[in-house]
């Protein structure tokens, strides 16, 4: 188990476009394991490789605490509907803001054997997939926030 250091807003690595994964090496497998350790330690919903300083197209998501999903080279195929809600990011600690995203997403991704699969999600899972794919393009949710970025404590009282 290894917890990696989470890069925070202002770190230039978070603004870069990530590269496709072409093969699963032991280092990549270790990175994925560490990303889950880091995600669970931080009690997050999703984590993208650039958030731990690695510019590769790898995302880990777990919206329930016991449903880990790895998305390698994910590509959004389809979106529909709309949801507006509070969103946060482990790279923007203590903050939250309202973001409107699609309520349904279908994506193509590769698993840890580089086998392709499709994933569909609604609500929180759809939000997580879209949020994490944005990270791979160097985008943070704060660019999409409607209204002010708020402190988590204040937002929860509303
Ligand atoms: Ni994030």
């Amino acid at each position: 188990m290894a917890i990696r250091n989470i890069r925070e807003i202002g770190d230039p690595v978070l603004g870069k476009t990530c590269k496709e994964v072409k093969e699963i090496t032991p280092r990549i497998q270790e990175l994925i394991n560490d990303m889950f350790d880091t995600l669970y330690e931080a009690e997050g919903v999703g984590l993208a490789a650039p958030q731990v300083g690695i510019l590769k197209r790898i995302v880990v998501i777990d919206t329930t605490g016991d449903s880990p999903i790895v998305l390698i080279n994910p590509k959004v195929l389809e979106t529909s509907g709309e949801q507006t809600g509070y969103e946060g990011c482990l790279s923007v600690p203590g903050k939250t803001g309202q973001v409107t995203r699609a309520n349904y997403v279908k994506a193509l991704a590769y698993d840890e054997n580089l086998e392709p699969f499709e994933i569909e999600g609604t609500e929180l899972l759809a939000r997580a997939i879209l949020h994490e794919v944005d990270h791979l393009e160097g985008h943070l949710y704060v660019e999409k926030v409607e209204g002010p970025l708020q402190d988590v404590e204040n937002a929860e009282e509303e």
Side-chain angles (χ1 to χ4, degrees), residues 46 51 88-91 131-132 135 140:
Q51 293 183 273
C89 178
L90 295 176
S91 292
H131 176 118
E132 299 310 328
H135 273 298
L140 297 179

Side-chain angles (χ1 to χ4, degrees), residues 100-119:
T100 298
R101 294 198 188 263
N103 196 49
Y104 165 85
V105 173
K106 180 155 95 174
L108 170 69
Y110 295 81
D111 67 15
E112 287 162 284
N113 299 310
L114 281 190
E115 296 291 334
F117 68 100
E118 284 187 0
I119 178 169

Side-chain angles (χ1 to χ4, degrees), residues 15-150:
K16 303 218 161 125
T17 304
C18 297
K19 294 208 168 88
E20 290 218 342
V21 175
K22 299 224 163 82
E23 62 170 333
I24 304 295
T25 60
R27 279 184 68 157
I28 298 269
Q29 190 59 63
E30 187 183 358
L31 169 66
I32 292 168
N33 294 342
D34 289 354
M35 285 173 68
F36 274 115
D37 290 341
T38 306
L39 177 69
Y40 292 132
E41 169 77 10
E43 298 182 348
V45 166
L47 187 71
Q51 293 183 273
V52 293
I54 308 289
L55 291 172
K56 292 189 185 298
R57 304 185 81 83
I58 302 172
V59 159
V60 299
I61 293 173
D62 193 334
T63 57
T64 66
D66 62 358
S67 52
I69 300 167
V70 181
L71 303 177
I72 296 170
N73 303 334
K75 195 174 167 191
V76 173
L77 299 176
E78 210 179 304
T79 62
S80 66
E82 201 174 272
Q83 57 173 321
T84 300
Y86 280 102
E87 198 163 311
C89 178
L90 295 176
S91 292
V92 191
K95 299 289 182 185
T96 185
Q98 289 228 1
V99 179
T100 298
R101 294 198 188 263
N103 196 49
Y104 165 85
V105 173
K106 180 155 95 174
L108 170 69
Y110 295 81
D111 67 15
E112 287 162 284
N113 299 310
L114 281 190
E115 296 291 334
F117 68 100
E118 284 187 0
I119 178 169
E120 289 179 293
T122 60
E123 299 174 15
L124 179 59
L125 180 56
R127 180 179 290 283
I129 291 169
L130 293 168
H131 176 118
E132 299 310 328
V133 169
D134 277 355
H135 273 298
L136 304 181
E137 295 299 329
H139 294 298
L140 297 179
Y141 84 94
V142 298
E143 300 163 31
K144 296 184 169 166
V145 161
E146 297 146 26
L149 204 58
Q150 299 174 49

